[in-house]
Amino acid sequence: MRWFVLIMLAMPLALGARTVWIGNVICNPGARVRVPVTVDDWAGVASVSAAAAYDPLILTLESARPGAVAEAAGMSFFTAEGAGRLGFAAMGAQNAEAGTAGTAATLTFLV
């Protein structure tokens, strides 16, 4: 059996004193994986947008959904998909306390 290592890295994007990153995941072929897109401090953040590129010969995007913080805040969530690419945006009022970290989106792939 061959092992497959999926590593999704994003260069952290500085938003003032904030950082957005895409999580790293390691899995076997045939696995379904959920990859979080996280913001380290939601205080004063009204929207988040990001893009991810992946190899469609290895990964199948199953879904892109709002993360826990975006969902709890009732933020509108939009996606745009293309071959091996995904863009998303979460927009709306967010009144988190300073230092509150959490997910903006969760991407689900089949390996």
Side-chain angles (χ1 to χ4, degrees), residues 84-106:
R85 297 188 182 278
L86 168 71
F88 76 86
M91 299 177 216
Q94 175 50 256
N95 296 314
E97 295 180 25
T100 301
T103 54
T106 300

Side-chain angles (χ1 to χ4, degrees), residues 53-72:
Y54 58 92
D55 185 340
L57 298 175
I58 298 172
L59 300 173
T60 301
L61 177 66
E62 290 193 331
S63 67
R65 302 200 185 284
V69 173
E71 190 170 57

